[in-house]
Structures are given as C-alpha cells and as structure tokens.
C-alpha cells in the first residue's frame, strides 16, 4: 500500500496549475485532500472531479495573505479528517518586472503571497504536526530561488526566502517534521498571466515555449510524500530538459 494512502494533505493554490495537478495525482494515490485558493468555482469543480473518481477531498476558499483564513483551512482539515499529515505551500504569484518600473504594489503582493502566505501556512500546521510528532511541509520555491535574472529580483527574493524557510523547517523540525523544497523551472500554468510589463511578458512567454506539464511537478511532490517516514527529501529542482536558465 502506498505511503500516501490515507494521508491528510492540505494544498494552497489548488485552483490551477501545479496545485490542481498535485491534487489529482495525490487523490489517485489515496490521500485525503484539503484544497485552498480564492476562486471557489474552480475549487468546487476540482473537489467534484476528485470525488467522482472515487477520491476524497474538501475545499475551503482561502486567501493566503489573510492569516485567519489560512488557520481556518487547517481547522477544516482537522474537523474533516482529524489530523494534518502534509502541507503543500503552493500558492504563489509571479508578476516579474524590472526594478526601475517601481511596481511596488506587485512587489508587496509577491511578498504577501509568496513569503507571508507560506509563513501563515507553517504557523497553521506546525502545532498540530508537533502534537502528532509527525508532519511534512512542502514549499514551492523555483529555479528563480536559485538564480536571479533581469526582471526577477523581487520574485527571486521571495523564492530565495522560501528556500531558506524550507531549510529552517528541516533543521528545527528534527526527527518529527519533514521538509521539502521544490524548485520548478518553466511549467505550463497560469502563472505567467500575472506579468503586467509587456516586454517582460514577451520574454517570459518565449522561455515558456519549452514549458513542461504541471504533472511533472505533481510527480515530484508525490515522490517526496511517498518516501517512508525516515526518509526526508529536502530539495528537488525540476527543469524542462531544454531550459538553459
Ligand atoms: N509554473 C512555473 O513555471 C513555476 C515555476 C517555478 C515555481 N512555480 C511556483 O509554483 C507555485 C504554483 O504556481 P503555478 O505555476 O501552478 O501557477 P498558477 O496556475 O497561477 O497557480 C497559482 C495558484 O496560487 C493561487 N493563489 C494566488 N494568489 C493567492 C492568494 N492570495 N491566496 C490563495 N491562493 C492564491 C491561485 O489561486 P486563486 O487565484 O484561485 O487564489 C492558483 O491556484 C507558485 O508558488 C509558483 O511561484 C511555478
């Protein structure tokens, strides 16, 4: 029987892209899913699709920039399934632009979603995982959390922060809490639609012509979760084979 079977997994940003693909894959492996994002109609459709295929899932509309809503997502998991085995801290935005454009609102949005949202997730599940003496936090960083390129400064800063947090969780988690930092390269999702600068959007769309399917990352997340409890997969970088960056 898979190590995933029966595990209670919270996924933020489950309404599209990597989160949605991961939900489908984990549901097939027998996980009990707790889906969070802002777009309710997407979450409802995903929940229905999973249940129709014999899986288990609930959803709760969640804006990760609101700590109370993230706490409520964790509470919903415990009320429905009694425990929290895994948090996939996946919600993220990527409005890339050169610093000179001073898109300060977008900088703040990236900090709020990509860093504070991840922290709120950690705060919402850590006490429960400590009580259980077991848990697994999976954070979505990026190749941009390993290298910086023009227009990526703020996004990269948030993804470097995620990488640092993953390492901190690993060290402080000790024998109880597993920590996985996932760093995708170009993956075909809705992520690039948040780029408001036309020149940057054009460059990124060119790079994304080589983008791989979201299921590639879902498989990586599945691999990390399905390892036995004494195996902690800490770092995975998954690029399109063609990606030079
Ligand atoms: N695609 C790539 O090439 C790539 C590469 C490296 C890293 N990543 C990372 O992978 C993660 C998933 O991105 P994706 O590629 O799957 O993009 P996506 O299709 O745009 O999905 C992003 C998800 O985040 C959610 N989200 C955005 N703001 C939110 C908020 N304030 N509260 C709650 N949920 C929020 C969105 O749902 P709602 O709009 O419904 O809230 C959506 O479900 C991100 O952290 C991203 O940085 C992606």
């Amino acid at each position: 029987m898979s190590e995933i079977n029966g595990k209670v997994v919270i996924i933020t940003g489950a309404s599209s892209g990597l989160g949605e693909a991961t939900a489908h894959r984990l549901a097939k492996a027998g996980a009990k899913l707790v889906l969070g994002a802002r777009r309710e109609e997407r979450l409802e459709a995903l929940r229905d699709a999973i249940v129709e295929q014999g899986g288990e899932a609930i959803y709760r509309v969640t804006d990760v920039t609101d700590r109370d809503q993230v706490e409520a997502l964790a509470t919903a998991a415990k009320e429905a399934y009694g425990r929290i085995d895994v948090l996939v801290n996946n919600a993220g935005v990527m409005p890339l632009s050169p610093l000179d454009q001073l898109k300060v609102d977008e900088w703040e949005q990236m900090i709020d979603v990509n860093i504070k949202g991840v922290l709120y997730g950690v705060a919402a599940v850590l006490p429960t995982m400590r009580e259980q003496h077991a848990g697994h936090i999976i954070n979505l960083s990026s190749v941009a959390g390993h290298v910086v390129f023009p227009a990526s400064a703020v996004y990269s800063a948030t993804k470097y922060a995620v990488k640092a947090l993953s390492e901190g969780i690993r060290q402080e988690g000790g024998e109880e809490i597993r920590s996985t930092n996932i760093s995708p390269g170009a993956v075909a999702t809705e992520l690039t639609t948040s780029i408001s600068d036309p020149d940057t959007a054009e460059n990124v769309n060119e790079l994304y012509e080589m983008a791989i399917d979201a299921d590639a990352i879902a498989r990586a997340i599945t691999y990390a979760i399905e390892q036995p409890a004494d195996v902690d997969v800490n770092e995975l970088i998954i690029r399109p084979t063609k990606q030079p960056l």
Side-chain angles (χ1 to χ4, degrees):
M1 178 95 45
S2 155
E3 292 276 340
I4 294 172
N5 194 48
K7 278 197 172 161
V8 178
V9 183
I10 299 175
I11 304 177
T12 66
S15 58
S16 63
L18 312 186
E20 184 181 6
T22 302
H24 278 300
R25 187 161 273 281
L26 293 179
K28 285 192 189 111
K32 297 172 179 174
L33 291 158
V34 181
L35 311 166
R38 293 166 304 173
R39 287 170 293 178
E40 181 162 18
E41 66 291 350
R42 295 279 199 106
L43 292 175
E44 201 177 0
L46 177 59
R47 189 268 323 266
D48 290 350
I50 288 171
V51 170
E52 247 171 55
Q53 288 158 24
E56 271 192 80
I58 60 165
Y59 74 82
R60 193 178 166 102
V61 174
T62 309
D63 184 332
V64 298
T65 67
D66 182 326
R67 187 179 168 195
D68 290 342
Q69 292 187 31
V70 182
E71 289 288 336
L73 182 67
T75 302
K78 286 206 286 182
E79 281 174 4
Y81 301 126
R83 54 185 290 117
I84 300 168
D85 294 299
V86 184
L87 167 66
V88 184
N89 250 331
N90 165 74
V93 290
M94 188 183 72
L96 303 172
S97 64
L99 291 169
D100 277 333
Q101 293 189 0
L102 302 184
K103 290 185 182 275
V104 178
D105 289 347
E106 293 183 353
W107 300 353
E108 289 183 351
Q109 189 201 5
M110 283 188 273
I111 289 165
D112 288 346
V113 177
N114 300 1
I115 303 181
K116 289 172 78 176
V118 166
L119 285 170
Y120 293 159
V122 172
V125 302
L126 197 52
T128 301
M129 291 181 175
R130 285 297 189 197
E131 272 169 34
Q132 296 169 178
H133 301 294
H136 190 170
I137 297 177
I138 299 176
N139 293 326
L140 267 294
S141 178
S142 172
V143 165
H146 297 258
V147 294
V148 183
F149 50 92
S152 89
V154 180
Y155 180 68
S156 283
T158 67
K159 293 303 187 180
Y160 273 75
V162 169
K163 183 165 145 58
L165 282 169
S166 298
E167 175 60 7
I169 294 164
R170 184 191 74 77
Q171 290 183 19
E172 294 184 30
E175 293 176 21
E176 297 183 333
I177 305 207
R178 300 195 293 174
S179 171
T180 303
N181 193 60
I182 306 260
S183 298
V187 183
T189 68
E190 296 171 21
L191 192 68
T192 53
T193 61
S194 61
I195 302 172
S196 64
D197 171 45
D199 290 341
T200 304
E202 200 181 317
N203 292 338
V204 171
N205 287 335
E206 239 169 69
L207 173 77
Y208 270 68
E209 278 170 19
M210 68 182 71
I212 51 176
D213 195 78
D215 188 57
I217 310 306
R219 293 197 297 275
I221 292 171
T222 302
Y223 166 74
I225 299 174
E226 75 189 358
Q227 300 310 305
D230 62 345
V231 177
D232 193 5
V233 178
N234 299 130
E235 182 84 50
L236 289 169
I237 304 179
I238 304 111
R239 290 180 172 89
T241 308
K242 285 187 194 166
Q243 182 175 325
L245 183 75

